[in-house]
């Protein structure tokens, strides 16, 4: 059995969708993976739905410790939490590792290894330095995908294009990217949602290049495209599940978006299979899954508002910040010179009201940072006003500060996930396992005892059958 592992992190993919499509012969590579795997259903390490977030659960999965111990609540907080993760554990044992986009993870700076941060964590630098061009490009596109004014200069495009040309870009990916851009020009914004699939393939080409050149013993690859489509288009796939149904135009445009996203992942799996010839065993994990959002209550979903220009707005309020970066959807991370300046910003922001509703989420993060965003989840009237409770700022039109993101969140998180270990033997385990079992299983794969590598206690257990356990050379 192969001794190297490649962990494919397809965020929030759902067994409830995969299994019927496999049965119909529509996902042949998922079916092949499933038929060659030990199949587990995983459970999240939390029960409170407010903590059922991917950036929390992936951090738990990578560290092997539960949320009530690590306390990582926000996306971008993981790198500063100072707990060991699976990459650092293996590096200390002398292994080469790779991380291509895994969520909420700390940077790797080790010869022979490679690292690309997830699209929302701007605090971590890529390694080796050549990967920074890729990371910067993807982060700029993902963080600003809802902003029609988002654009790139010719210099940015030139650097990114040169990186791709010298780091594994395939003809197939280049051809598909060109077709996507043409389809957007011809079909307009209704075609833009497929752009996420191009980033999957650009990431795969670059990841494959570094797997070939660095030969890590353990590496991860993260994709969020399915999760995004499920959140945005579940009610278009299953309109009858919701009392508030989408317009027919949305059903026509996006009714097959989720299935198309799974077909894209299926095709990607076919390319990952080719890496098995280099001695890699593949593992597929989702951490969580999704379900129709508030199906029982019959609500169509949540809406989100985002600031037109966060820097300009905070500046107009007299809030001095060191830096502010978009994170996910409607959210930002702001950094300040001191906790006092940060705390004053929180007080100001939490004072804003629209009608009687508090507008801003504003939570301290670390010693001098602030995690902020619009907390309203329903559509406000066009003439709504933004006012401050103590009257220190003049009222202003709400829509001068915020714009409504053109999507309805109709898929919500579910604690069940999947874990498929492609060992060549098909067994479906009837009992659920914890995501905290993943790190002990990986360590066991390499014949490493937990107590020798982790600076914290691991509460999970290895899922390997001892009769088939490989040992690293």
């Amino acid at each position: 059995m192969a001794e190297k592992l490649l962990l494919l992190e397809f965020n929030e993919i759902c067994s409830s969708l995969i299994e019927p499509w496999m049965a119909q012969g529509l996902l042949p590579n998922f079916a092949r993976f499933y038929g060659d795997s030990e199949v587990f259903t995983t459970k999240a390490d939390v029960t409170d739905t407010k903590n059922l977030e991917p950036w929390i659960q992936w951090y738990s999965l990578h560290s092997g410790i539960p949320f009530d111990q690590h306390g990582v609540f926000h996306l971008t907080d993981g790198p500063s939490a100072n707990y060991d993760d699976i990459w650092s554990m293996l590096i200390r044992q002398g292994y080469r590792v790779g991380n291509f986009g895994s969520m909420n993870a700390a940077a790797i700076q080790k010869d022979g290894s490679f690292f690309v941060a997830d699209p929302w964590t701007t605090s971590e630098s890529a390694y080796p330095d050549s990967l920074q061009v890729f990371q910067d490009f993807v982060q700029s596109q993902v963080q600003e995908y809802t902003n029609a004014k988002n654009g790139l200069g010719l210099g940015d495009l030139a650097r990114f294009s040169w990186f791709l040309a010298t780091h594994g870009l395939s003809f197939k990916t280049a051809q598909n990217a060109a077709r996507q851009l043409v389809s957007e020009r011809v079909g307009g914004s209704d075609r833009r949602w497929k752009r996420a699939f191009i980033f999957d393939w650009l990431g795969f080409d670059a990841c494959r290049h570094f797997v070939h050149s660095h030969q890590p013993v353990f590496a991860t690859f993260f994709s969020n495209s399915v999760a995004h489509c499920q959140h945005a288009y579940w009610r278009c796939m299953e309109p009858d599940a919701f009392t508030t149904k989408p317009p027919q135009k949305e059903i026509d445009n996006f009714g097959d978006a989720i299935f198309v996203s799974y077909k894209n992942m299926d095709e990607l799996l076919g390319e990952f299979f080719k890496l098995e010839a280099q001695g890699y065993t593949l593992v597929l994990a989702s951490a969580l899954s999704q379900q129709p959002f508030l199906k029982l209550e019959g609500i169509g979903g949540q809406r989100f508002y985002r600031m037109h220009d966060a820097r300009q707005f905070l500046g107009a309020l007299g809030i001095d910040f060191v830096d502010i970066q978009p994170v996910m959807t409607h959210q930002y991370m702001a950094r300040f010179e001191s906790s006092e300046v940060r705390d004053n910003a929180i007080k100001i922001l939490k004072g804003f009201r629209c009608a009687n509703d508090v507008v801003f989420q504003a939570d301290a993060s670390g010693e001098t940072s602030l995690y902020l965003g619009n907390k309203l989840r329903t559509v406000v009237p066009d003439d709504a006003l933004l006012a401050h409770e103590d009257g220190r700022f003049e009222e202003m039109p709400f829509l001068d500060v915020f714009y409504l993101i053109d999507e309805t969140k109709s898929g919500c998180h579910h604690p069940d996930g999947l874990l498929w270990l492609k060992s060549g033997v098909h067994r479906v385990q009837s009992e659920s396992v914890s995501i905290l079992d993943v790190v002990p299983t990986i360590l066991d794969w390499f014949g490493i005892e937990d107590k020798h590598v982790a600076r914290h206690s691991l509460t999970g257990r290895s899922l390997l059958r001892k009769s088939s356990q490989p040992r690293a050379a």
Side-chain angles (χ1 to χ4, degrees):
M1 186 179 291
E3 294 170 350
K4 296 184 287 187
L5 284 180
L6 185 55
L7 176 58
L8 309 181
E9 300 179 343
F10 290 0
N11 193 33
E12 297 172 23
I13 59 174
C14 303
S15 294
S16 62
L17 298 178
I18 293 172
E19 291 178 4
W21 286 333
M22 286 195 305
Q24 297 171 52
L26 299 175
L27 299 177
N29 291 316
F30 273 104
R32 176 181 166 188
F33 204 122
Y34 181 84
D36 286 341
S37 294
E38 291 256 15
V39 176
F40 301 91
T41 297
T42 59
K43 287 288 187 183
D45 72 304
V46 296
T47 56
D48 191 334
T49 55
K50 75 177 182 180
N51 299 327
L52 200 62
E53 297 286 1
W55 47 87
I56 296 175
Q57 294 304 294
W58 281 115
Y59 190 86
S60 297
L61 187 150
H62 295 143
S63 65
I65 53 178
F67 169 72
D68 62 8
Q69 180 177 343
H70 64 65
V72 172
F73 183 70
H74 292 128
L75 181 56
T76 74
D77 283 356
S80 61
N82 201 31
Y83 286 101
D84 284 340
D85 55 34
I86 185 59
W87 301 279
S88 62
M89 295 177 202
L90 292 176
I91 284 174
R92 281 205 299 274
Q93 296 297 303
Y95 292 109
R96 295 187 303 276
V97 300
N99 174 348
F100 212 94
S102 291
M103 185 174 271
N104 220 0
I108 296 169
Q109 302 284 334
K110 181 69 175 178
D111 289 346
S113 296
F114 61 85
F115 171 82
V116 175
D118 68 56
W120 309 277
T121 301
T122 59
S123 63
E124 306 302 284
S125 298
Y127 186 85
D129 292 344
S130 60
L131 273 167
Q132 192 65 45
V133 173
F134 181 91
Q135 178 174 305
D136 290 345
F137 181 89
V138 172
Q139 287 184 339
S140 70
Q141 294 299 290
V142 172
Q143 292 169 3
E144 296 290 353
Y145 83 96
T146 65
N147 190 342
K149 297 179 181 179
N150 178 39
L152 290 170
L154 291 178
D156 297 317
L157 290 171
R159 284 188 291 272
F160 185 64
S161 298
W162 177 250
F163 170 87
L164 295 176
T166 55
H167 292 82
L169 178 66
S170 67
F171 175 78
K172 177 181 178 180
T173 300
Q175 185 180 53
N176 289 342
R179 288 174 177 169
Q180 174 62 28
L181 293 176
V182 170
S183 74
E184 290 179 17
R185 292 211 174 247
V186 174
S189 60
D190 287 348
R191 301 291 183 269
R192 186 182 172 93
W193 64 272
K194 294 184 179 180
R195 186 177 290 192
F197 306 152
I198 300 302
F199 289 125
D200 285 335
W201 286 94
L202 293 174
F204 169 78
D205 286 349
C207 181
R208 176 177 56 188
H209 173 84
F210 280 90
V211 167
H212 284 323
S213 62
H214 287 58
Q215 288 293 305
V217 169
F218 171 77
T220 57
F221 176 88
F222 180 86
S223 169
N224 193 59
S225 59
V226 168
H228 171 72
C229 286
Q230 290 173 164
H231 278 311
Y233 306 123
W234 200 299
R235 73 180 190 143
C236 295
M237 178 180 68
E238 291 184 341
D240 291 340
F242 301 89
T243 300
T244 305
K245 294 178 173 57
Q248 187 60 46
K249 182 180 179 181
E250 289 187 17
I251 296 174
D252 293 341
N253 287 335
F254 309 119
D256 67 344
I258 293 175
F259 174 68
V260 172
S261 71
Y262 276 88
K263 286 292 290 182
N264 180 66
M265 289 291 98
D266 189 77
E267 196 173 343
L268 200 62
L269 281 181
E271 294 300 316
F272 274 112
F273 289 159
K274 297 175 183 178
L275 295 176
E276 291 176 306
Q278 297 185 37
Y280 285 96
T281 291
L282 304 181
V283 182
L284 180 63
S286 68
L288 295 169
S289 60
Q290 290 189 31
Q291 60 188 332
F293 184 68
L294 296 179
K295 182 175 180 179
L296 296 178
E297 288 82 353
I299 297 174
Q302 291 180 330
R303 301 301 299 271
F304 293 87
Y305 284 93
R306 194 168 190 265
M307 283 184 276
H308 290 287
D309 191 326
R311 291 175 176 272
Q312 182 183 62
F313 180 69
L314 265 62
L317 300 179
I319 296 176
D320 295 324
F321 56 88
V322 174
D323 187 34
I324 184 168
Q325 295 289 340
V327 181
M328 182 178 284
T329 312
H330 59 293
Q331 298 166 326
Y332 297 83
M333 175 66 73
R335 297 178 176 86
F336 302 85
E337 288 186 352
S338 67
S339 60
E340 290 78 14
V341 176
R342 188 268 315 279
D343 293 344
N344 181 60
I346 292 175
K347 183 178 180 180
I348 292 174
L349 291 169
K350 285 190 171 181
F352 279 99
R353 302 285 187 273
C354 180
N356 294 319
D357 296 322
V358 177
V359 173
F360 281 98
Q361 168 205 11
D363 300 328
S365 175
E367 294 183 0
T368 60
S369 296
L370 166 62
Y371 202 80
L372 72 149
N374 190 314
K375 66 186 298 181
L376 302 183
R377 296 294 179 265
T378 57
V379 178
V380 304
D382 289 346
D383 60 354
L385 295 175
L386 189 65
H388 201 273
E389 62 181 0
D390 64 9
R392 74 169 81 178
F393 303 104
E394 292 185 6
E395 288 186 337
M396 62 194 84
F398 181 90
L399 294 180
D400 282 359
V401 179
F402 300 100
Y403 65 91
L404 181 65
I405 294 175
D406 190 23
E407 289 173 356
T408 298
K409 182 180 178 181
S410 55
C412 66
H413 297 134
H414 189 283
D416 286 358
L418 62 79
L419 180 69
W420 297 357
L421 174 60
K422 196 170 182 289
S423 62
V425 176
H426 179 63
R427 282 187 286 252
V428 179
Q429 304 297 329
S430 58
E431 294 184 2
S432 297
V433 301
S434 171
I435 59 170
L436 303 180
D437 295 334
V438 174
V439 165
T441 300
I442 294 171
L443 295 176
D444 196 13
W445 180 273
F446 296 113
I448 300 170
E449 294 184 25
D450 300 356
K451 64 183 180 181
H452 292 157
V453 293
R455 292 179 297 177
H456 53 258
S457 175
L458 299 176
T459 58
R461 59 184 178 88
S462 173
L463 303 175
L464 291 183
R465 292 174 179 267
K466 297 300 182 181
S467 60
S468 61
Q469 177 183 340
R471 303 284 294 191

